[in-house]
Amino acid sequence: GRKAAPVALVTALNRLGAAHGIGIVDCVENRLVGMKSRGVYETPGGTLLHAALNDLPAALLLVTVLFDFGAWITKRQSLSAAALWTLWAGVVGGWAAVVAGLQAEDAIDHGEAIHELMEAHETQALVTMGVFTAVLAYKLFRRANLSRVEELALRGMSLFGFVGILWTGSVGGKLAFEHAAGVTTATLHREMQD
């Protein structure tokens, strides 16, 4: 990699994403007067950055669980090593996503209607990341010399974290797609008037 200023980074990501059709949202919206309107929005750089910060860590944690179960079933050490490395990357990236989400919560204009849902999303993310962090810390503490009972307990915790990721993602989807979290009130009012 190479260092890039934020504007240069987003500009480069815009070019890269646009060349591959990433970040185009084509939707039909209901207007306040009862008409339907079609809108096309493009944000290729933002879509790539969001995916790298928000979606990649969750995917890594999901793959960690699959690698771990694969290693358990096949007794392959390579899958066990892959599980540990993806767990590392997923935990570090996951905490970065949680911090970004906490900052966004304070910056996003939102009303009471979705505040409870945002709090539930935050709590689920913190619990899920706590579970995966505990699994990683225990594996590092024991230096992979785990008894059968410890392995089963950690596998159970990982499975709980797996479900936590899916549940957190479901609530995040509701925030974005049902409640337009992240869309400013001014933009929503403009859209309703058009």
Side-chain angles (χ1 to χ4, degrees):
R2 63 180 198 263
K3 284 188 175 184
V7 172
L9 175 65
V10 172
T11 301
L13 288 173
N14 276 337
R15 267 190 252 115
L16 178 66
H20 298 284
I22 295 171
I24 298 173
V25 178
D26 185 352
C27 58
V28 175
E29 303 163 321
N30 291 323
R31 299 296 180 189
L32 188 62
V33 293
M35 294 174 53
K36 300 252 185 230
S37 172
R38 182 175 182 195
V40 179
Y41 307 95
E42 293 186 45
T43 176
T47 301
L48 289 170
L49 283 172
H50 184 268
L53 181 63
N54 191 55
D55 302 334
L56 181 61
L60 288 171
L61 292 172
L62 292 173
V63 168
T64 292
V65 177
L66 298 177
F67 279 156
D68 189 47
F69 274 89
W72 179 44
I73 292 167
T74 64
K75 308 291 186 223
R76 291 181 58 191
Q77 187 59 34
S78 60
L79 287 176
S80 196
L84 185 60
W85 282 105
T86 54
L87 179 60
W88 256 110
V91 165
V92 170
W95 280 113
V98 167
V99 169
L102 292 172
Q103 290 176 339
E105 178 187 19
D106 295 335
I108 291 174
D109 184 22
H110 66 278
E112 280 302 311
I114 66 166
H115 186 74
E116 285 183 33
L117 199 55
M118 289 175 79
E119 289 298 318
H121 182 67
E122 176 185 325
T123 301
Q124 289 166 351
L126 290 170
V127 169
T128 300
M129 286 309 304
V131 167
F132 280 112
T133 302
V135 169
L136 176 62
Y138 195 79
K139 284 185 175 187
L140 294 176
F141 174 73
R142 294 285 288 144
R143 297 183 189 262
N145 295 323
L146 302 169
S147 71
R148 186 165 171 78
V149 172
E150 289 172 320
E151 284 181 359
L152 287 174
L154 290 176
R155 228 166 252 119
M157 288 176 65
S158 293
L159 198 55
F160 179 78
F162 188 94
V163 171
I165 289 172
L166 298 177
W167 191 257
T168 303
S170 172
V171 173
K174 285 181 184 176
L175 281 169
F177 298 111
E178 293 178 16
H179 298 282
V183 179
T184 63
T185 304
T187 301
L188 284 174
H189 284 292
R190 258 194 328 271
E191 289 296 320
M192 288 188 298
Q193 290 173 354
D194 288 340

